[in-house]
Amino acid sequence: MTYSADVNGGDFKIRGYTVAQLPNAPIIVAVLAALVSRFLDDGSTGWAIARGVFFIGLTIWSWEELSGGVNGFRRALGALGLAFVMFSMIRDLS
């Protein structure tokens, strides 16, 4: 069995199937906000803002992947991202 990997136009493909892409703005914002929140005290105003920005960025990215992902794998990542946000919000609010 031969496996090939191709990087073309920012897409990482395995046997023609896109499994990774260059990050877009919402996921970059989410990752940066998550990093910022790590350096702030839990429960502080800055931490809460960074955490909120993280969840907003992740929600937007997940919805974009779920509704317009290039293949089933990318749409599944979007669904998992939305599920993570939903369960995190339920846990935080209870």
Side-chain angles (χ1 to χ4, degrees), residues 9-73:
D11 292 349
F12 179 74
K13 298 181 179 187
I14 296 178
R15 299 177 71 188
Y17 199 75
T18 302
V19 294
Q21 296 174 309
L22 288 175
N24 55 15
I27 198 68
I28 291 171
V29 168
V31 169
L32 290 176
L35 290 173
V36 166
S37 72
R38 292 288 188 182
F39 293 104
L40 300 172
D41 294 328
D42 287 359
S44 69
T45 302
W47 176 84
I49 291 170
R51 190 164 159 84
V53 170
F54 165 75
F55 281 116
I56 290 168
L58 185 60
T59 301
I60 293 169
W61 175 83
S62 297
W63 179 254
E64 287 179 353
E65 287 296 332
L66 182 62
S67 64
V70 295
N71 55 39
F73 176 73

